[in-house]
């Protein structure tokens, strides 16, 4: 089996962040010899993750090698940026990661690697916080991506409370432990609503662009994130935006995501073939 190449923890200077932004990248097996240009997947990590999470914990490079060799998917270039715990937003009190990814990262990748520079060859996916990020980036910028996928995405209809209990009955400090000061210090419900993916569904609808959306979550997710995915799926259906929803056996962990990413890759392949 021929294998692609992974380069971990590379970096480039981001004008938006005014510092280096780290990323890892998967290049298909024949990348160096082939003159062709490739479609790109931007694959986002979750809370407390980084640019190597999908490789070291998710073994996504092995999944890509197997599926490409079997002919299930075309060879993709896969970019995995480090966004810290930013929730992929332009924070009012912190760093502007949405702009850094949309303007700086994509521009850098398309200027330095053999990838196509069209909307029809860009995809975005992520898990947990990265699932929220993938949807938000795609919904706010539907002219940038052909398709988006959220695995156990941290999405919810309403403003998160200060505290809640998880599926085991344990108290969790949602705003303090997971949102930190990204959405304002103190937490700003109005800014959170502005960035809420539910409030960007109409932006996709009004764009007139086709943006197939993949949603999935485990039925034992201890943050109850299947609720947000289910509600969003309903909203997308009402807006006549192509979407699929899978509630799978599993929790909020890599056992689920390692398997589910295979379906995401197949979903992106179908979008590439159709659109």
């Amino acid at each position: 089996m021929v294998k692609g190449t992974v380069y971990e923890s590379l970096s480039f200077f981001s004008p938006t962040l005014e510092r280096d932004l780290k990323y890892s990248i998967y290049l298909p097996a024949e990348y160096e010899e082939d003159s062709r240009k490739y479609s790109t997947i931007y694959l986002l990590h979750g809370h407390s993750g980084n640019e190597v999470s999908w490789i070291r914990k998710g073994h996504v490079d092995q999944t890509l090698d197997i599926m490409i060799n079997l002919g299930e998917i075309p060879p993709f270039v896969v970019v995995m940026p480090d966004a810290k715990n930013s929730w992929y937003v332009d924070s009012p009190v912190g760093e502007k990661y949405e702009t850094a990814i949309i303007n700086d990262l994509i521009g850098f990748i398309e200027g330095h690697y053999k990838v196509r520079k069209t909307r029809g060859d860009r995809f975005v996916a992520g898990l947990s916080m990265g699932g929220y990020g993938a949807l938000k980036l795609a919904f706010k910028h539907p002219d940038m991506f052909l398709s988006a996928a959220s695995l156990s995405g941290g999405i919810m209809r309403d403003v998160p409370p200060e505290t809640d209990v998880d599926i085991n009955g344990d108290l969790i400090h949602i705003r303090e432990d997971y949102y930190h000061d990204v959405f304002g210090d103190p937490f700003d419900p109005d800014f959170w609503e502005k960035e809420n993916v539910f409030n960007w569904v109409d932006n996709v609808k009004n764009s007139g662009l086709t943006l197939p959306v993949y949603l999935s979550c485990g039925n034992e997710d201890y943050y109850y994130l299947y609720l947000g995915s289910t509600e969003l799926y309903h909203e997308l259906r009402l807006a006549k935006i192509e979407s699929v929803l899978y509630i799978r056996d599993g929790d909020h962990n890599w056992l689920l995501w390692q398997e589910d990413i295979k379906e995401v890759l197949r979903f992106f392949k179908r979008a590439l073939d159709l659109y």
Side-chain angles (χ1 to χ4, degrees):
M1 180 177 69
V2 293
K3 296 182 179 181
T5 303
V6 173
Y7 295 96
E8 293 187 359
S9 303
L10 303 176
S11 65
F12 73 99
F13 182 78
S14 163
T16 300
L17 301 178
E18 299 183 333
R19 62 169 176 79
D20 283 355
L21 190 157
K22 288 185 177 181
Y23 69 98
S24 296
I25 191 165
Y26 169 91
L27 302 177
E30 297 179 356
Y31 177 88
E32 295 297 340
E33 296 77 24
D34 204 337
S35 61
R36 66 179 291 184
K37 292 189 175 182
Y38 296 85
S39 300
T40 312
I41 298 172
Y42 291 87
L43 189 56
L44 311 182
H45 64 76
H47 188 273
S48 299
N50 56 36
E51 77 280 1
V52 298
S53 297
W54 271 105
I55 298 165
R56 298 187 184 178
K57 295 181 178 180
H59 308 294
V60 71
D61 53 319
Q62 297 176 27
T63 299
L64 288 159
D65 286 339
I66 291 170
M67 295 182 72
I68 292 170
N69 273 273
L70 291 175
E72 289 191 65
I73 59 171
F76 287 104
V77 166
V78 180
V79 180
M80 295 153 277
D82 175 24
K84 305 192 183 302
N85 290 331
S86 68
W87 286 86
Y88 303 92
V89 305
D90 284 352
S91 173
V93 295
E95 295 186 297
K96 300 186 183 304
Y97 269 93
E98 176 184 330
T99 300
I101 289 173
I102 293 296
N103 291 351
D104 303 348
L105 177 65
I106 292 177
F108 175 82
I109 295 299
E110 294 182 352
H112 290 79
Y113 293 91
K114 294 187 295 185
V115 297
R116 299 189 183 100
K117 302 179 182 181
T118 61
R119 172 186 184 266
D121 288 286
R122 292 192 207 101
F123 302 83
V124 61
L127 66 87
S128 195
M129 179 187 81
Y132 162 88
L135 295 177
K136 187 183 70 73
L137 292 175
F139 287 10
K140 288 183 77 171
H141 307 277
D143 58 322
M144 293 292 291
F145 302 99
L146 178 62
S147 184
S150 167
L151 295 76
S152 307
I155 53 179
M156 54 191 72
R157 161 77 71 182
D158 299 318
V159 174
E162 291 278 359
T163 61
D164 202 348
V165 293
D166 64 21
I167 203 167
N168 298 316
D170 296 323
L171 181 69
I172 49 177
H173 296 84
I174 297 177
R175 295 186 185 179
E176 179 182 348
D177 293 343
Y178 296 102
Y179 292 106
H180 312 287
D181 59 357
V182 170
F183 291 90
D185 185 16
F187 182 93
D188 183 351
D190 291 334
F191 179 72
W192 190 92
E193 279 288 10
K194 176 179 175 292
E195 297 296 298
N196 188 346
V197 296
F198 283 89
N199 294 327
W200 288 95
V201 170
D202 282 345
N203 192 53
V204 179
K205 181 179 179 179
N206 294 336
S207 74
L209 297 168
T210 300
L211 183 76
V213 177
Y214 179 102
L215 302 170
S216 68
C217 196
N219 61 356
E220 296 182 6
D221 189 289
Y222 51 82
Y223 298 121
Y224 311 109
L225 293 177
Y226 45 77
L227 295 175
S229 293
T230 303
E231 288 183 291
L232 182 60
Y233 174 68
H234 180 62
E235 289 291 317
L236 294 171
R237 294 283 299 204
L238 291 177
K240 298 187 178 350
I241 296 169
E242 182 181 342
S243 54
V244 297
L245 169 68
Y246 298 99
I247 304 299
R248 306 190 186 281
D249 290 337
D251 204 335
H252 196 84
N253 57 36
W254 284 103
L255 290 175
L256 179 68
W257 303 323
Q258 279 181 291
E259 289 302 310
D260 208 23
I261 192 63
K262 299 174 186 176
E263 293 304 319
V264 171
L265 293 169
R266 294 183 183 109
F267 186 79
F268 285 169
K269 192 263 184 188
R270 288 193 291 272
L272 198 58
D273 289 345
L274 288 172
Y275 306 110

